[in-house]
Structure formats: structure tokens, C-alpha cells
């Protein structure tokens, strides 16, 4: 039995086999081969697998987002079967005696360059598709692809670290636990684990060893341990611990249907944080009263190209319809820093957390922002929508946002498109916003305090840097004072104020937040019932 220790970011016990996740290798090795027939057979097998995946993706997209948007996967299938593409690959293998990965890479580069040199916009756009299918083939060939077939049953993911763009590719129903060598409690991997309600360890002293792949393990999210090949005694103990945890969870079920109200009779809106349409079921299962933060950027992270207005509209409409009149607050695109998306082609920065991100991107790439606003306002007719904007530091930004909002509303009115009543709010996640919250409050309906970033910027501690964990104090007086100040200023000007950062679920602070006058707490769905119980005790 091997035991490794990490920092737990979500409690619980998971038992299952390990899936060692390595980053998809983009660098392709050039290797001379002798058996060209075997190499061509390897390519053909990868092609068949890719074709099967694309068929599956086409079907899934057709059902999820409609025929038109699904067409891209049809195009990919045609390109994959293209005679020139295939002849070029097999030619490089046969004539130059090169490995399949290299042959696919070279062919992809040459054909993409050819498309890019064309006059026609549509044909130029196919260059990205050629890259896409080549990347798919290469990752199948070198075994770094994470596909649903690669994870036939629920697994414990062991990885060096996971970027948000990587976590979105996992089939969430197949994850039992996440164990990473790096990461921090406030990283988006940790947030994802909490949203999915699965135990997770970060900064674990575990080797990313392929030898571990497929081996039996137990993750104890209470003690921060992972046992690989647990002995009988440990397994029996862990099974009992899991049973107890499941029983406690079952006991919490009695909180369902109860009001989230303090002893003094104050109702606190208890909402959930989600990353996508697939998380809504967990919101409803946990009897949450609404959605306080829909991180819309995960929709962008899950696409290979800018999601169209239609794709976004369908996603927002689905969430609003499923929530059936309950409040849904969707945050506009918050990328940059750790959330990088290739097709945005963002510049490399010395200091990305202080760089070109979130609203700064939206206010400079207005076509991207406008597409999202149109989708949001169109969807607003299907439920109770609030829109909030991330990383605000000034009134000027709110004015620019409102100008765009008015433009979009006018456009939709001219097109005879119905829109609902939408509350507009901002995230308070910079010290600048908290300190000037008295100036910002008159311009909005609500504030939502993003304590993850607010803590990072107030304490000058990078939320991604695990080596600073010992300096990080989530209960630092500076953070608490900024929260207090923000709530008071919101109320002074008739706005409501909530917390959607991870601190909102910290039960040691619940009584304090209630005392401060907080109106709403938005937490991972799995925390809802615990927090309701805690609030009812306040
Ligand atoms: C926050 O900063 O607290 C927040 C909720 O946003 P995110 O974690 O997505 O940056
Ligand atoms: Mg944030």
C-alpha cells in the first residue's frame, strides 16, 4: 500500500481506480520507422477512432444545440476522409519512413497553410478545422487524449495540475475524485471539484507515474490522504468512513424544503454556483433557491471556436427554463489569467492576474461582448435573469457596459424580440471596487462579492501559487472589513449584496456575514444543505 498526502479542498471518501492524466502533448517527435505497414495500420486505427468520436460529437451537438451548430463535426469527418489529406499522411510514412504523429503533423501544417493562403473567407476558416482534426489524431496516436472511451468507468484522476480548459473535457459523470500535485484551494480545479461534490486533494506529494494507472485507490478527503492499493484493513476502515459520510449527507436531506432563515427571522437567499448547463440538476437536487453565479466562460472553454449567439442563447435559455422562475445570475465572460482559451489568442503577459482579463477583454473586443449580451437578453424572456460583470474597478466601466446593454436592447426591440426584466449587477472582486462601493452602488441593482479574487488582490497572494498557502489567511481582517464596507454601501444606495466566492460557504464566518447584513450566499450545490442548517442556527 502506498500513502500520499495532500491538502483537501473538498471532504468525502472516494473508492475506485486511478486514471493518470498527462497533458496532451502538442510537441510532436519526429521518429524514423522501419515497419511502414504497421505505422500505416496505426494511423488507420487512430483515424477510425477519431471518426467514431466525431460521429458521436455530431449526434450530441445536434441534440444539445441543433443541426446547424452540429455541422462542424460533419465537416471534420469529411476533412478526415479527404483523399489528399490521407495520401499525404501515408506518403510521408511510406516514402520518408516517418512515424504517424509526424506525418499527421506535417500534413496538417501544409494543408492549413494552403487554406490560409486562399482568397475566400470560408476556405481560410477551414485551416482551424485541419488543425483540429490533426490535433485529435495526434493525441489519439500518442495516447494523451482524454475521451469518454478512455474513461470507461468512474475514476480517480491523478494529475500534475489541471487547467480549466482541461477540466471541461472530462465527462463529469465519470469523476470520483481529483488528486493533483499542484493547485491551490482557490484554484478553479478545486472549485470544480466542489461544484461536482467530489473529494479533491491539491498539492499532493504524489508522483505522476503511469504505473499507477488503473490501480485501486481510496481518496480520503477528510484526512487529505490517498491510498494506492489499500490493504484490507485500510479498505474496511475507508468503506466504513464513506458509509458514515453518506449517512450524514442523508440526514441533511431533512433540510430540503425548509426556509433559509435565521433565528431572528431574516431570510438569506441561498443560491448555487455553476459552470454549465450540466450542473443545474445538482442545484435542483440540493434544493437551492437559485443560481448566484453561472461562470459563463466555461461555455467558451468547452468550444473550439467562439460560441455563436445561438449556442449561447440555447444554453442560457435551458438553464433559465430548468430553474423555472427561480433567480439565475449569469456572469459575463471572465477569461484571462488561469482561464486561457487558444482561439482568443491572448497576448502572453508578465503578470496575467493583473492583466488583460474579464471585463477588460469584453470592453475592448466589443463584438464578442455584444454576441453574449444579445444571447443573454434573448434568453431573459424565459426566466428570472440577472447579469453580472466581473473584475470591475470603476464607474466608467459600468457606464460603458450600460451603453452596450442599451444598444443591444434597442436592437432586439427593433427585431421584435421579447426580453424580460433583468437585474444588472457587478462583482466586487478588486479592492478598488470594494473601497469605492459607495460610488458604484447607485449604478447597479446588486453586488456579488468574489472573495477568491478579492482575497488574492487584497493580500497580494496569487491564488494559483500553492507555495504561498502558509501566508494565506482567508479570514484576514482586511478582507472582512472590505466585505462589511461593501454590504453597507450597497444597502445605503438600495442595492442588495451577496457573496459568490468560496468564502461564502465557510461556516465559521456564516454568523459574521449574517451580522454584517448579507442578503445572499451563493455556494457550490453540495454545500447548500449544510449552509441552510448553519444559517437556521444563527
Ligand atoms: C471570485 O473571484 O471570488 C469568483 C467568484 O470568481 P472566480 O472564482 O471565477 O474568479
Ligand atoms: Mg473572480
Amino acid at each position: 500500500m502506498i500513502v500520499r498526502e495532500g491538502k483537501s479542498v473538498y471532504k468525502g471518501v472516494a473508492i475506485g481506480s486511478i486514471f493518470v492524466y498527462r497533458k496532451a502533448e502538442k510537441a510532436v517527435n519526429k521518429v524514423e520507422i522501419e515497419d511502414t505497414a504497421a505505422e500505416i495500420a496505426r494511423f488507420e486505427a487512430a483515424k477510425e477512432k477519431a471518426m467514431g468520436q466525431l460521429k458521436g460529437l455530431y449526434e450530441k451537438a445536434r441534440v444539445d444545440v441543433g443541426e446547424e451548430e452540429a455541422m462542424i463535426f460533419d465537416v471534420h469527418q469529411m476533412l478526415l476522409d479527404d483523399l489528399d489529406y490521407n495520401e499525404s499522411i501515408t506518403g510521408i510514412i511510406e516514402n520518408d519512413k516517418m512515424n504517424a504523429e509526424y506525418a499527421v503533423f506535417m500534413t496538417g501544417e501544409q494543408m492549413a497553410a494552403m487554406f490560409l493562403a486562399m482568397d475566400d473567407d470560408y476556405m481560410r476558416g477551414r485551416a482551424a478545422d485541419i488543425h483540429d482534426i490533426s490535433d485529435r489524431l495526434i493525441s489519439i496516436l500518442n495516447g494523451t487524449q482524454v475521451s469518454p472511451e478512455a474513461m470507461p468507468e468512474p475514476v480517480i484522476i491523478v494529475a500534475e495540475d489541471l487547467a480549466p480548459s482541461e477540466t471541461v473535457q472530462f465527462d463529469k459523470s465519470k469523476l470520483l475524485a481529483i488528486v493533483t500535485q499542484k493547485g491551490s484551494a482557490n484554484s478553479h480545479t478545486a472549485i470544480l471539484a466542489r461544484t461536482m461534490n467530489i473529494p479533491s486533494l491539491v498539492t499532493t506529494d504524489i508522483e505522476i507515474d503511469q504505473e499507477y494507472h488503473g490501480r485501486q485507490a481510496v481518496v480520503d478527503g477528510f484526512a487529505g490522504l490517498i491510498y494506492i492499493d489499500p490493504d484490507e484493513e485500510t479498505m474496511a476502515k475507508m468503506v466504513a468512513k464513506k458509509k458514515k459520510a453518506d449517512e450524514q449527507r442523508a440526514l441533511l436531506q431533512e433540510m430540503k424544503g425548509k426556509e433559509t432563515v435565521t433565528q431572528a427571522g431574516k431570510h438569506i437567499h441561498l443560491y448555487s454556483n455553476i459552470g454549465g448547463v450540466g450542473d443545474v440538476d445538482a442545484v435542483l437536487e440540493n434544493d437551492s433557491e437559485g443560481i448566484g453565479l453561472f461562470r459563463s466562460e466555461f461555455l467558451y472553454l468547452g468550444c473550439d471556436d467562439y460560441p455563436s449567439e445561438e449556442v449561447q442563447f440555447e444554453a442560457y435559455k435551458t438553464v433559465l427554463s430548468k430553474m423555472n422562475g427561480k433567480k439565475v445570475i449569469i456572469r459575463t465572460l471572465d477569461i484571462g489569467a488561469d482561464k486561457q482559451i487558444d482561439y482568443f489568442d491572448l497576448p502572453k503577459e508578465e503578470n496575467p492576474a493583473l492583466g488583460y482579463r474579464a471585463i477588460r477583454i469584453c470592453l475592448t473586443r466589443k463584438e464578442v461582448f455584444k454576441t453574449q449580451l444579445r444571447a443573454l437578453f434573448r434568453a431573459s424572456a424565459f426566466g428570472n435573469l440577472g447579469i453580472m460583470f466581473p473584475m470591475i474597478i470603476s464607474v466608467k466601466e459600468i457606464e460603458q457596459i450600460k451603453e452596450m446593454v442599451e444598444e443591444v436592447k434597442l436592437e432586439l426591440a427593433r427585431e421584435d424580440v421579447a426580453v424580460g426584466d433583468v437585474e444588472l449587477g457587478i462583482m466586487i472582486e478588486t479592492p478598488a471596487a470594494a473601497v469605492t462601493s459607495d460610488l458604484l452602488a447607485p449604478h447597479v441593482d446588486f453586488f456579488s462579492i468574489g472573495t477568491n479574487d478579492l482575497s488574492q488582490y487584497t493580500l497580494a497572494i496569487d491564488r494559483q501559487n500553492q507555495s504561498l498557502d502558509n501566508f494565506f489567511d482567508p479570514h484576514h481582517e482586511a478582507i472582512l472589513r472590505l466585505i462589511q464596507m461593501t454590504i453597507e454601501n450597497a444597502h445605503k444606495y438600495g442595492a442588495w449584496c451577496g457573496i459568490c466566492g468560496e468564502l461564502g460557504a465557510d461556516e465559521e464566518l456564516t454568523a459574521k456575514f449574517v451580522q454584517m447584513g448579507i442578503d445572499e450566499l451563493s455556494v457550490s450545490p453540495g454545500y447548500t444543505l449544510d449552509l441552510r442548517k448553519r444559517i437556521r442556527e444563527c
Side-chain angles (χ1 to χ4, degrees):
M1 175 170 83
I2 301 165
V3 188
R4 296 287 179 260
E5 194 172 356
K7 180 173 174 185
S8 173
V9 293
Y10 194 73
K11 295 188 174 69
V13 176
I15 303 173
S17 57
I18 290 181
F19 184 99
V20 176
Y21 171 77
R22 289 178 299 132
K23 289 195 183 303
E25 278 164 23
K26 292 226 165 150
V28 171
N29 288 329
K30 183 178 174 182
V31 183
E32 228 171 286
I33 44 121
E34 279 180 9
D35 189 348
T36 54
E39 200 62 8
I40 288 180
R42 211 162 71 82
F43 161 65
E44 292 294 348
K47 184 181 150 188
E48 199 180 318
K49 192 167 177 187
M51 201 57 106
Q53 292 175 356
L54 290 167
K55 283 197 177 106
L57 284 170
Y58 173 80
E59 273 314 311
K60 187 170 184 306
R62 200 175 58 81
V63 175
D64 289 353
V65 290
E67 187 90 38
E68 202 180 318
E69 298 299 332
M71 280 306 286
I72 187 67
F73 298 114
D74 215 25
V75 172
H76 282 197
Q77 287 176 60
M78 282 193 295
L79 287 172
L80 188 58
D81 233 359
D82 180 80
L83 196 62
D84 288 343
Y85 185 71
N86 280 267
E87 280 182 356
S88 165
I89 293 169
T90 48
I92 295 174
I93 298 175
E94 247 169 5
N95 306 331
D96 304 345
K97 298 203 178 316
M98 287 298 154
N99 57 325
E101 287 89 332
Y102 179 75
V104 171
F105 174 73
M106 286 310 288
T107 301
E109 289 299 299
Q110 283 161 8
M111 285 189 75
M114 208 174 72
F115 276 121
L116 279 176
M118 292 184 181
D119 273 343
D120 185 81
D121 269 357
Y122 176 81
M123 294 312 278
R124 269 203 302 276
R126 302 285 65 81
D129 298 324
I130 284 286
H131 274 139
D132 235 45
I133 57 164
S134 300
D135 286 351
R136 179 177 294 279
L137 280 172
I138 291 168
S139 64
I140 294 173
L141 283 163
N142 66 20
T144 55
Q145 190 190 46
V146 180
S147 64
E149 305 97 275
M151 286 164 54
E153 54 187 38
V155 288
I156 294 167
I157 296 274
V158 170
E160 185 189 351
D161 202 3
L162 293 172
S165 57
E166 291 170 307
T167 53
V168 290
Q169 20 162 15
F170 294 122
D171 176 349
K172 301 201 174 56
S173 65
K174 301 271 179 69
L175 296 189
L176 291 173
I178 299 176
V179 176
T180 59
Q181 235 181 14
K182 297 184 176 164
S184 68
N186 265 342
S187 65
H188 282 95
T189 304
I191 291 172
L192 178 88
R194 285 184 210 116
T195 308
M196 290 190 304
N197 216 358
I198 58 172
S200 175
L201 311 182
V202 295
T203 58
T204 314
D205 62 351
I206 192 167
E207 316 70 29
I208 308 306
D209 190 338
Q210 207 56 33
E211 288 276 293
Y212 289 155
H213 197 80
R215 281 160 72 173
Q216 183 75 11
V218 179
V219 177
D220 180 351
F222 294 98
L225 296 172
I226 173 167
Y227 301 93
I228 300 162
D229 299 332
D231 56 33
E232 255 178 57
E233 192 190 337
T234 309
M235 191 56 137
K237 258 199 222 158
M238 288 299 123
V239 169
K241 201 165 185 174
K242 183 169 177 354
K243 189 164 168 258
K244 194 169 161 210
D246 290 346
E247 281 166 4
Q248 270 170 355
R249 190 124 284 281
L251 268 181
L252 271 178
Q253 301 302 307
E254 68 179 38
M255 281 295 131
K256 283 189 182 171
K258 296 221 162 116
E259 224 196 320
T260 311
V261 65
T262 66
Q263 300 272 323
K266 168 155 181 172
H267 180 88
I268 309 286
H269 296 281
L270 184 53
Y271 293 166
S272 292
N273 296 344
I274 64 164
V277 180
D279 297 329
V280 179
D281 291 341
V283 174
L284 296 171
E285 263 161 41
N286 286 286
D287 190 34
S288 178
E289 295 162 25
I291 290 170
L293 166 65
F294 175 177
R295 290 182 164 93
S296 71
E297 59 275 10
F298 279 87
L299 201 81
Y300 292 71
L301 281 158
C303 295
D304 294 333
D305 204 346
Y306 295 95
S308 64
E309 179 183 321
E310 213 51 36
V311 166
Q312 294 191 55
F313 165 68
E314 285 298 335
Y316 305 147
K317 179 182 153 192
T318 307
V319 173
L320 282 158
S321 308
K322 277 184 137 183
M323 290 302 289
N324 199 16
K326 289 181 176 174
K327 188 98 204 162
V328 175
I329 297 175
I330 303 181
R331 172 175 77 185
T332 58
L333 180 68
D334 181 10
I335 56 159
D338 65 319
K339 287 178 279 195
Q340 292 292 331
I341 305 181
D342 285 349
Y343 59 82
F344 269 82
D345 216 5
L346 297 175
K348 280 257 166 304
E349 294 174 303
E350 283 290 316
N351 213 340
L354 302 182
Y356 187 50
R357 56 171 296 197
I359 201 67
R360 300 168 186 180
I361 295 177
C362 289
L363 288 177
T364 44
R365 294 202 186 170
K366 293 206 168 143
E367 67 298 343
V368 174
F369 195 31
K370 197 165 164 196
T371 303
Q372 182 169 36
L373 288 175
R374 278 186 58 98
L376 284 166
F377 275 98
R378 280 175 58 197
S380 68
F382 298 87
N384 183 1
L385 177 67
I387 304 177
M388 71 177 170
F389 305 94
M391 285 294 293
I392 296 296
I393 56 168
S394 71
V395 170
K396 192 169 140 218
E397 289 164 347
I398 304 177
E399 285 169 352
Q400 285 177 12
I401 291 167
K402 284 192 160 172
E403 248 174 58
M404 292 278 294
V405 164
E406 285 315 310
E407 195 181 312
V408 163
K409 281 167 76 175
L410 206 68
E411 236 177 59
L412 292 173
R414 280 202 204 106
E415 294 166 25
D416 267 341
V417 177
V419 300
D421 273 338
V422 178
E423 277 197 321
L424 295 182
I426 56 169
M427 292 200 62
I428 302 290
E429 46 189 351
T430 61
V435 171
T436 59
S437 48
D438 57 330
L439 305 178
L440 302 171
H443 300 270
V444 295
D445 297 311
F446 67 92
F447 285 156
S448 187
I449 306 177
T451 50
N452 310 334
D453 278 315
L454 186 62
S455 307
Q456 128 163 298
Y457 297 126
T458 304
L459 305 179
I461 289 184
D462 179 355
R463 65 194 267 194
Q464 296 294 116
N465 187 342
Q466 74 260 29
S467 60
L468 297 175
D469 273 3
N470 287 340
F471 292 93
F472 183 70
D473 171 12
H475 297 184
H476 195 292
E477 188 57 27
I479 301 168
L480 298 177
R481 286 187 196 181
L482 289 176
I483 294 174
Q484 171 84 76
M485 181 189 284
T486 303
I487 298 171
E488 279 171 11
N489 283 328
H491 291 169
K492 210 190 277 178
Y493 294 95
W496 61 263
C497 185
I499 296 176
C500 65
E502 296 299 293
L503 211 56
D506 187 333
E507 291 186 36
E508 282 178 40
L509 291 175
T510 310
K512 202 169 191 92
F513 291 149
V514 168
Q515 250 171 26
M516 287 180 180
I518 203 76
D519 302 296
E520 175 241 28
L521 291 170
S522 189
V523 299
S524 297
Y527 284 145
T528 311
L529 297 175
D530 300 78
L531 201 56
R532 176 169 296 152
K533 185 163 179 288
R534 180 72 197 93
I535 290 169
R536 287 171 63 88
E537 287 160 4
C538 281

